[in-house]
Amino acid sequence: MPIEIKNSSSQPLQIDSAGRLLHFLAIEGLDRQRLLQLLDSAAQFISSDTNVRKSQGSLLAGHTVVNLFFEDSTRTRTTFEIAGKRLGASVINLNTSRLSTRKGETVLDTVRTLEAMDADIFVVRDNSSGTAHLIARHVPPHVHIINAGDGRHAHPTQAMLDMFTIRAHKGDISKLRFAIVGDILHSRVARSQIAALQILGAKEIRVVAPATLLPTEIEKLGVTALTDIDKGLEGVDVIMMLRLQLERMEGQLIPSSQEYFRCYGLNQDRLNHAAPDAVVMHPGPMNRGLEIASDVADSDRSLVLSQVTNGIAVRMAIMAELAGMNKE
Ligand code: CP
């Protein structure tokens, strides 16, 4: 099934009538001012040596954050846990393989059950598009839902940490050219990145992939689609690589791993097509030798680990905002 191109707005669910952020479900529906405010707020959680501050006292004291991940995760789940704890919240990581959803309980009943235990922020990852939205429609106003990745639809906190990292290393996004490279078709990361880059006024956004991994109507999103990676990388300031989502592929969409790396893997020669000071990003998990060569992934042009670290600060800012703790 192709990526859904139509511009779905999550605004009515995400923002209340007073303009407060109720849930963080998708980048679409948020405006430039909101994104910049969250990015500036995240900067407050970074100390001068760029490490995330160890503790922010008790901004979320008395709050309970539940990590409800029905899909695997290393970065997102762990950084949400660290972020919640640094804000003083209780954080519960549920082992979804042991949940009563496996006995037939619905996800909504599971959430209601946890609400009855005073959980008030749910971080939700699921392989179905729309799960976080569904839950957000059914919770009372004091409960907040954060989308930690739903199917191929959206991964908005990933996009926010990417925007934060780009601003920290390259400055004003409106002056930069971007290439998003890889499995665009199955990527919730790409969709959220494109939305965030557009809202923040990126100078140019290119998406680069084999034709089989490019949604047919992708250019309706206001990006330029290319199948030639060398052309796609020409002069760009930021290269955003994507993981090949083999678990979401139906049928043979790439000839072989070797062929994919030969034609679309980012190696040093290809990096030379970009601007001389271009940086390289990858949301992780990376497949070395498939999407990216190890010498590029480990080079001083790579921001991959900086993305991970910044994810803590960005997730702290989002949770603090949802809990109403970022008000002046
Ligand atoms: N980027 C990302 O979502 O990584 P995880 O799957 O490890 O959370």
Side-chain angles (χ1 to χ4, degrees), residues 115-320:
E115 272 172 46
M117 302 175 200
D118 270 350
D120 42 21
I121 297 178
F122 289 87
V123 184
V124 180
R125 171 171 289 190
D126 193 43
N127 63 8
S128 297
S129 298
T131 299
H133 288 68
L134 173 78
I135 297 171
R137 277 190 202 99
H138 289 87
V139 292
H142 72 277
V143 173
H144 310 288
I145 308 301
I146 300 175
N147 184 1
D150 63 324
R152 62 179 77 183
H153 175 239
H155 194 349
T157 65
Q158 177 69 46
M160 289 299 284
L161 73 87
D162 291 339
M163 298 306 114
F164 186 93
T165 305
I166 294 160
R167 287 215 309 170
H169 288 267
K170 300 294 291 179
D172 185 350
I173 284 172
S174 70
K175 295 191 167 69
L176 302 173
R177 295 177 200 275
F178 295 83
I180 304 174
V181 181
D183 184 359
I184 310 290
L185 182 67
H186 302 99
S187 180
R188 56 196 178 203
V189 173
R191 184 182 171 89
S192 292
Q193 287 171 334
I194 290 168
L197 288 172
Q198 284 178 328
I199 291 167
L200 296 174
K203 194 171 180 181
E204 185 181 356
I205 309 168
R206 302 175 200 165
V207 293
V208 183
T212 49
L213 296 179
L214 275 174
T216 48
E217 297 187 275
I218 187 74
E219 291 196 330
K220 287 189 178 170
L221 292 182
V223 301
T224 304
L226 298 108
T227 54
D228 181 331
I229 188 168
D230 293 342
K231 279 189 192 149
L233 296 185
E234 199 65 51
V236 298
D237 304 292
V238 182
I239 304 170
M240 305 168 92
M241 300 303 294
L242 297 172
R243 183 173 70 85
L244 268 182
Q245 315 248 312
L246 298 171
E247 74 277 19
R248 297 194 208 286
M249 287 188 193
E250 291 157 12
Q252 187 80 14
L253 297 181
I254 57 166
S256 69
S257 300
Q258 293 88 340
E259 187 69 2
Y260 182 81
F261 184 62
R262 194 178 69 73
C263 296
Y264 288 95
L266 184 62
N267 58 25
Q268 196 60 52
D269 284 347
R270 294 222 161 98
L271 182 53
N272 291 337
H273 289 273
D277 59 350
V279 291
V280 177
M281 304 175 72
H282 193 302
M286 282 188 293
N287 291 301
R288 293 168 183 260
L290 178 58
E291 298 132 17
I292 188 165
S294 270
D295 61 344
V296 173
D298 298 332
S299 73
D300 58 8
R301 309 274 289 277
S302 167
L303 302 182
V304 171
L305 294 179
S306 185
Q307 289 171 264
V308 175
T309 306
N310 292 334
I312 300 172
V314 166
R315 287 164 176 143
M316 287 169 83
I318 291 167
M319 286 194 285

Side-chain angles (χ1 to χ4, degrees), residues 69 72-77 125 148 155 158 188-189 283-285:
F69 279 57
D72 295 342
S73 169
T74 298
R75 280 143 285 268
T76 313
R77 195 200 57 73
R125 171 171 289 190
H155 194 349
Q158 177 69 46
R188 56 196 178 203
V189 173

